[in-house]
Amino acid sequence: MFDNTYVRLPERFYARVQPSVAPDPHLLACNQDLIRDLSLQDFLGGDRQAAQFFSGNRLPDGAEPIALAYAGHQFGQFVPQLGDGRAALLGEVIGRDERRYDIQLKGSGQTPFSRNGDGKSALGPVIREYLLSEAMHALGVPTTRAVAAVRTGDVVQRERPLPGGVFTRAAASHIRVGTFEFFAARNDQEALRALAGYAIERHYPDVGNDDYVGFFDRVLERQAALIAHWMDVGFIHGVMNTDNTSIAGETLDYGPCAFMDEFRFDKVFSSIDHGRRYAYGNQARIAHWNLARLAECLLLLHEDQPAFEAVLERFPARFDELYRQRMAGKLGLSDARPDDAVLIKLWLDHLQANTLDYTLSFRRLADSLAAEALGQFGDFGLRWRQRLAEQAADPERVRQKMNAVNPIFIPRNHQIERAIEAAINDDLGVFHDLIAVLKHPFKDQPEYSQYAEPPAPSERVERTFCGT
Ligand code: AMP
Ligand code: MG
């Protein structure tokens, strides 16, 4: 069932690894729909066997586990060697959609790239990534996916001793901007050319095999669309280093990420982001910066700086356009005009000034169309009604269109923390509730209404930590 191509690239692209043994693996969650879509069902024969596979204890036929080499800019500083320090790529499968997916175990032990790390993962990051990545998928945001979560029976030492876990992830690939940087830093043009050719064939097959500017243009387009979508749903990635920037344009690495409750342009959750580099409202600027790092690598293959600069310069305007389209849709506008940027800003200023919940405010705004209750939205309310009047649509239709793109349920940080704390104590109730409810983020699910609510003051969780 595996069809591995990355391992056929030159040996300096990776290190072969052996996942470490989990003493007593138990399946915590298993994504049956995805397993079917990836044609992985042969993998499984009951929960016990699945736990053996998804902990790395047993390798499925055809798996060739490797840890990938990459570098990266972390908080603006270049680190020439990072690599998979706690992950093993088992191999690639072709899904029912005929696309190729990486199947990776995360938290399966040390690799030659582990540096001082133990190569393991605590249960918390496993549960966080499972819930967040599946929620993103259900919201329509390009992302790596959650295949399974297991508890290993190990104890891992973090700020306190914690149960260990392994997360199984499916991704379009694990090629990052940092993978290009790894070879560029070594001035290894041959490897860069092989990597670029591979990435083009795998992700942008309609781009010419040595059309590096065309490739760059497509990567940039996907990043612009991705960040616009993050902003749409109120997502803060938290660690947008170049090693976490996927060439395929997927959300990659759910470390200290979070969805915001009340709206703030400069909202930060990550405990290590002291300079607010990766704040909510800074994400497009950072993506642009990361893309400049990719262009620098590609320049080693094709010395046409003006051509790369011309593409790079398009990013801010392209992002603004994609963002405006998304936000206009959330506000019920049937088209997005350049001057709608003013209306969008007025709305967000209103949310920030009144510490309003980002997600639920869009639903309340839509519901106000039925209730004729206007006053609550201040200056914005009047301007918005005028703008809607210009498109002469039936208010009930507008309300339905808004509710189709504005979620009720997001993976709220305090609920994620609740799910983790309970799971550490062997209670998977909240985890499984959240898996179920977040599958249908736009649908009213009265039985789960508590999960739609923002945290009470005593429930607020303001800080998130990396999985390290
Ligand atoms: P991240 O913060 O997840 O993007 O990871 C940054 C780098 O640190 C990557 O090279 C990871 O593989 C490595 N790393 C993070 N946690 C561990 C760990 N527990 N053991 C070994 N390496 C780790
Ligand atoms: Mg990472």
Side-chain angles (χ1 to χ4, degrees), residues 212-249:
Y212 304 119
V213 176
F215 166 60
F216 182 59
D217 186 49
R218 299 289 297 279
V219 175
L220 180 141
E221 173 68 20
R222 283 203 200 164
Q223 280 294 318
L226 179 67
I227 311 302
H229 216 153
W230 287 358
M231 307 281 284
D232 167 335
V233 297
F235 177 76
I236 303 163
H237 183 284
V239 59
M240 288 178 70
N241 295 332
T242 54
D243 51 298
N244 295 330
T245 304
S246 156
I247 292 295

Side-chain angles (χ1 to χ4, degrees), residues 6 68 89 92 100-102 144 169-176 198-199 202-203 246-250 252:
Y6 205 84
L68 309 194
L89 174 60
E92 300 147 34
R100 177 176 298 275
Y101 293 89
D102 277 5
T144 61
R169 165 157 91 184
S173 85
H174 286 86
I175 306 171
R176 310 137 191 272
Y198 179 88
R202 185 157 171 183
H203 299 303
S246 156
I247 292 295
E250 290 184 334
L252 173 66

Side-chain angles (χ1 to χ4, degrees), residues 70 74 82-86 114-115 117-120 158 243-244 253 468:
Y70 54 86
Q74 299 190 311
L82 290 164
D84 289 330
R86 55 170 159 180
S114 296
R115 290 167 295 165
D118 59 5
K120 296 191 173 158
R158 295 294 182 261
D243 51 298
N244 295 330
D253 200 324
T468 40

Side-chain angles (χ1 to χ4, degrees), residues 385-405:
R385 288 284 179 136
Q386 281 165 357
R387 177 71 178 82
L388 284 180
E390 288 166 32
Q391 69 186 38
D394 165 40
E396 180 50 25
R397 283 259 316 147
V398 174
R399 193 181 73 85
Q400 286 169 11
K401 272 178 59 184
M402 288 175 71
N403 284 346
V405 295

Side-chain angles (χ1 to χ4, degrees), residues 102-394:
D102 277 5
I103 305 296
Q104 190 203 53
L105 302 180
K106 215 174 151 186
S108 57
Q110 285 178 322
T111 77
F113 305 111
S114 296
R115 290 167 295 165
N116 299 322
D118 59 5
K120 296 191 173 158
S121 182
L123 213 51
V126 170
I127 285 173
R128 175 176 290 274
E129 177 152 358
Y130 196 109
L131 291 172
L132 272 282
S133 63
E134 286 307 297
M136 290 287 265
H137 173 73
L139 288 164
V141 184
T143 178
T144 61
R145 302 285 308 275
V147 179
V150 300
R151 170 200 289 273
T152 57
D154 249 345
V155 174
V156 301
Q157 194 54 49
R158 295 294 182 261
E159 59 289 0
R160 56 181 164 135
L162 289 166
V166 174
F167 178 71
T168 304
R169 165 157 91 184
S173 85
H174 286 86
I175 306 171
R176 310 137 191 272
V177 169
T179 317
F180 284 84
E181 290 179 292
F182 181 85
F183 296 114
R186 288 155 181 80
N187 205 10
D188 187 343
Q189 289 191 27
E190 195 188 302
L192 267 178
R193 192 166 295 113
L195 177 63
Y198 179 88
I200 289 170
E201 195 182 320
R202 185 157 171 183
H203 299 303
Y204 305 95
D206 52 320
V207 172
N209 200 262
D210 57 357
D211 178 6
Y212 304 119
V213 176
F215 166 60
F216 182 59
D217 186 49
R218 299 289 297 279
V219 175
L220 180 141
E221 173 68 20
R222 283 203 200 164
Q223 280 294 318
L226 179 67
I227 311 302
H229 216 153
W230 287 358
M231 307 281 284
D232 167 335
V233 297
F235 177 76
I236 303 163
H237 183 284
V239 59
M240 288 178 70
N241 295 332
T242 54
D243 51 298
N244 295 330
T245 304
S246 156
I247 292 295
E250 290 184 334
T251 309
L252 173 66
D253 200 324
Y254 287 85
C257 61
F259 280 69
M260 58 184 173
D261 298 302
E262 79 289 351
F263 179 82
R264 279 191 67 90
F265 286 106
D266 65 352
K267 184 75 184 172
V268 167
F269 284 93
S270 168
S271 60
I272 54 170
D273 191 359
H274 306 296
R276 295 186 175 271
R277 180 181 170 88
Y278 300 137
Y280 172 78
N282 225 12
Q283 299 187 108
R285 261 191 34 193
I286 293 292
H288 191 203
W289 191 90
N290 289 345
L291 287 162
R293 305 289 79 74
L294 176 62
E296 286 165 3
C297 299
L298 296 173
L299 267 173
L300 293 179
L301 295 177
H302 181 71
E303 282 173 47
D304 187 351
Q305 192 160 338
F308 284 108
E309 272 171 4
V311 174
L312 192 60
E313 271 168 21
R314 286 206 288 273
F315 183 89
R318 184 63 185 135
F319 167 78
D320 283 349
E321 189 181 350
L322 291 165
Y323 173 73
R324 199 171 60 240
Q325 282 168 2
R326 292 212 151 271
M327 297 304 281
K330 286 171 78 72
L331 292 175
L333 309 183
S334 49
D335 60 336
R337 302 191 313 220
D339 63 339
D340 287 330
V342 179
L343 190 67
I344 294 162
K345 175 78 165 45
L346 209 55
W347 167 243
L348 297 176
D349 284 342
H350 172 75
L351 299 187
Q352 177 163 293
N354 297 283
T355 18
L356 295 176
D357 186 77
Y358 179 71
T359 303
L360 294 184
S361 290
F362 284 96
R363 303 286 302 201
R364 301 225 162 96
L365 187 63
D367 291 341
S368 79
L369 286 167
E372 287 296 328
L374 242 189
Q376 48 183 322
F377 300 111
D379 278 355
F380 165 81
L382 209 63
R383 296 272 296 263
W384 180 61
R385 288 284 179 136
Q386 281 165 357
R387 177 71 178 82
L388 284 180
E390 288 166 32
Q391 69 186 38
D394 165 40

